[in-house]
Amino acid sequence: MHQLSSLSLGVPLARLAAEAVAGSPVGLFVQQEQATQPSYASLSTPIASEDDQFLDGLERACFLFFWEQGNPDTGLIKDRCNVRAKDESLAASIASTGFGLSAICIADQRGYIGHADARLRVLRTLSFLWHKLPTHRGFFYHFANLNTGERIWDSEVSSVDTAILLCGVLTCRQHFADKDINELAHAIFDRVEWTWLSEDTSLLSHGWTPEFGFIPSRWDFYSELMMMYLLGMGSQSHTLSKDAWMAWKRTIFEYDGMRYIGSYAPLFVHQYSQAWFDFRLKRDHFADYFLNSAIATDVHRRFCVGLNPQFVDYSNALWGITASDSEQGYIVWGGPPAMGPIDGTVVPAAAGGSLPFQPAATLRVLRTIHDHYPNAWCRYGFVDAFNPLTSWYDSDVIGIDTGIIMLMAENLRTGFVWSTFMKNPEAKRGMESAGFEAYKPADA
């Protein structure tokens, strides 16, 4: 990490992009090339050793957030942390905790921490989840007190955040192959009543609160929902019907001659389920979702580069916007079509969470941010967001954004999270029930 911090700082890319517009030789930063559909062959270039070293330093930094900002007794991990001042927040999120459990597996595998320490933290976390953290029908509240587990902010029992937590739990079960961890993971997973969440419809609700009952919104359009439906269909205790997989809509978008399944939503919807579920060289009745996300990532890059006339910081070397902090607070933004309002902010997790989908393009962005924007780097990796045009840099690191970067970096390097998680019978049953079959594309 100290080596990363000492790398060349160079010239700010906002200035480079501005020069490119004026016709300087660095015009390649904003040049749009002819659109071509991504393929397995085009995405299979080995990672250069210097890029692998860069990603290792990034993963080490990301892991520190989950290790240091988690309560070692409860295992709960903060939703976010202020890295510019002493952080005294007590809000943990179950999604951050799910990413953190997977991060501990990576750290143990890579030797960032000792195996005994990793096992003990995981065991304490799962014990707290099973015995003490409040649940309803097996689902967990979105936010909880870091030290006590008490529900905070009148938060909802969250279906998708519970799914993220369960993915972390199941990753630990396979990685540690430990009797106590195995029993706790089984108990936590089997307690979740997926069928209660879909009593009157094949579509799952976003959640439930004791004050108002079910949240009216349903998981009905392509998004991060895939993990949720697959886990429910893979459950043996409260199994979702196969109809649930067919019920949600897969809207076709087209941009710059490229077609893909998408949503009016930020880029992270293409990332989260695929941090754990390995969709490579598999397809259901509708799509190869891995290649679909590769297309969506390339489309997002093209969209951002196309905004260069309005925001001169955006270029082929600096792009990426997904739900994040901003100078005006937390914003759900992205595109195409444009969601925002976009103001030139860059979100490292947009590129970082898509590392396996577009390795060269995303690595270029992450190295650009690190090398040219030192205020975007901190002890825990990248701050959540920054705006080169206004010199605004976030003070916070957010667990889910740090987590998606770390997991996808490891998946690009070794596929470790994919290979570990996919050993779970729940994951296998879910994908089989959804109709996934292996296939070999002509250009693979």
Side-chain angles (χ1 to χ4, degrees):
M1 284 174 294
H2 295 298
Q3 290 177 336
L4 279 175
S5 299
S6 65
L7 291 176
S8 168
L9 302 182
V11 181
L13 261 290
R15 194 179 112 197
L16 287 178
E19 292 172 353
V21 173
S24 102
V26 294
L28 61 93
F29 285 119
V30 294
Q31 181 179 353
Q32 281 280 31
E33 70 274 20
Q34 184 177 356
T36 56
Q37 295 285 92
S39 67
Y40 285 100
S42 68
L43 301 176
S44 61
T45 304
I47 307 170
S49 60
E50 58 269 27
D51 286 331
D52 189 66
Q53 292 172 14
F54 170 79
L55 291 176
D56 191 69
L58 176 57
E59 286 186 53
R60 286 177 181 270
C62 291
F63 169 67
L64 281 181
F65 168 82
F66 295 106
W67 193 251
E68 295 181 348
Q69 299 305 319
N71 182 311
D73 297 319
T74 67
L76 299 180
I77 298 171
K78 287 185 180 180
D79 175 60
R80 60 168 63 222
C81 172
N82 186 322
V83 294
R84 312 294 188 198
K86 184 178 181 180
D87 188 277
E88 297 180 346
S89 62
L90 294 176
S93 83
I94 57 169
S96 185
T97 303
F99 275 109
L101 286 169
S102 300
I104 292 171
C105 295
I106 296 171
D108 181 43
Q109 177 76 6
R110 289 202 165 271
Y112 298 165
I113 53 172
H115 178 75
D117 290 336
R119 177 188 175 277
L120 180 60
R121 179 70 69 93
V122 168
L123 191 58
R124 286 179 175 174
T125 305
L126 299 192
S127 180
F128 189 83
L129 293 177
W130 173 245
H131 294 290
K132 295 183 179 179
L133 190 64
T135 64
H136 185 78
R137 304 290 187 112
F139 291 90
F140 293 92
Y141 288 95
H142 192 161
F143 297 105
N145 183 289
L146 181 74
N147 300 323
T148 67
E150 293 177 294
R151 174 198 184 200
I152 59 174
W153 299 333
D154 294 331
S155 60
E156 82 284 9
V157 165
S158 173
S159 50
V160 71
D161 292 281
T162 294
I164 293 172
L165 178 61
L166 293 175
C167 285
V169 169
L170 293 180
T171 304
C172 288
R173 186 177 75 185
Q174 291 301 322
H175 172 69
F176 286 94
D178 176 275
K179 179 177 180 294
D180 295 331
I181 290 174
N182 180 63
E183 289 179 354
L184 285 166
H186 267 296
I188 292 165
F189 186 88
D190 290 343
R191 180 172 59 180
V192 179
E193 297 184 26
W194 301 99
T195 47
W196 162 76
L197 200 62
S198 60
E199 280 183 347
D200 59 345
T201 176
S202 296
L203 295 168
L204 301 181
S205 168
H206 281 214
W208 176 92
T209 66
E211 294 83 6
F212 303 105
F214 284 114
I215 295 172
S217 301
R218 298 280 179 172
W219 292 102
D220 53 358
F221 283 90
Y222 171 84
S223 63
E224 67 273 32
L225 57 73
M226 289 196 295
M227 69 173 81
M228 202 168 23
Y229 284 103
L230 292 172
L231 289 174
M233 291 161 64
S235 168
Q236 286 190 310
S237 57
H238 303 280
T239 313
L240 283 182
S241 165
K242 296 180 180 179
D243 295 340
W245 187 252
M246 308 296 290
W248 50 274
K249 298 179 179 66
R250 296 157 175 84
T251 305
I252 301 296
F253 286 70
E254 185 167 348
Y255 183 87
D256 202 14
M258 306 176 79
R259 291 168 58 84
Y260 61 101
I261 295 171
S263 296
Y264 297 99
L267 191 59
F268 76 82
V269 302
H270 294 280
Q271 302 169 349
Y272 280 18
S273 291
Q274 299 202 50
W276 291 279
F277 281 93
D278 185 1
F279 291 100
R280 293 174 300 171
L281 297 173
K282 303 181 187 75
R283 59 175 301 130
D284 66 355
H285 178 70
F286 302 96
D288 176 330
Y289 294 99
F290 181 86
L291 283 183
N292 187 74
S293 290
I295 296 169
T297 300
D298 194 48
V299 162
H300 181 71
R301 177 187 63 83
R302 293 171 180 276
F303 166 75
C304 289
V305 173
L307 294 176
N308 175 268
Q310 299 103 291
F311 309 109
V312 296
D313 56 325
Y314 291 158
S315 70
N316 276 313
L318 190 67
W319 54 267
I321 37 181
T322 187
S324 74
D325 287 346
S326 76
E327 288 182 86
Q328 283 70 49
Y330 196 81
I331 296 181
V332 179
W333 49 14
M339 300 170 58
I342 296 168
D343 63 1
T345 292
V346 177
V347 186
S354 289
L355 277 163
F357 305 136
Q358 293 287 343
T362 52
L363 271 164
R364 182 189 305 125
V365 171
L366 296 181
R367 299 205 66 152
T368 293
I369 298 172
H370 181 272
D371 294 353
H372 297 275
Y373 298 95
N375 290 332
W377 182 262
C378 67
R379 177 173 178 80
Y380 299 140
F382 296 112
V383 296
D384 193 59
F386 68 104
N387 190 324
L389 302 183
T390 64
S391 297
W392 171 81
Y393 292 85
D394 201 356
S395 62
D396 283 12
V397 166
I398 296 180
I400 56 175
D401 290 345
T402 300
I404 194 63
I405 293 173
M406 182 176 180
L407 270 60
M408 288 307 220
E410 187 60 37
N411 277 332
L412 173 62
R413 297 173 73 196
T414 67
F416 168 75
V417 183
W418 286 330
S419 61
T420 303
F421 178 79
M422 291 305 299
K423 293 175 184 175
N424 284 290
E426 293 84 354
K428 294 177 182 178
R429 283 195 299 267
M431 293 194 76
E432 288 171 2
S433 180
F436 279 93
E437 295 182 350
Y439 82 110
K440 185 173 182 179
D443 56 2

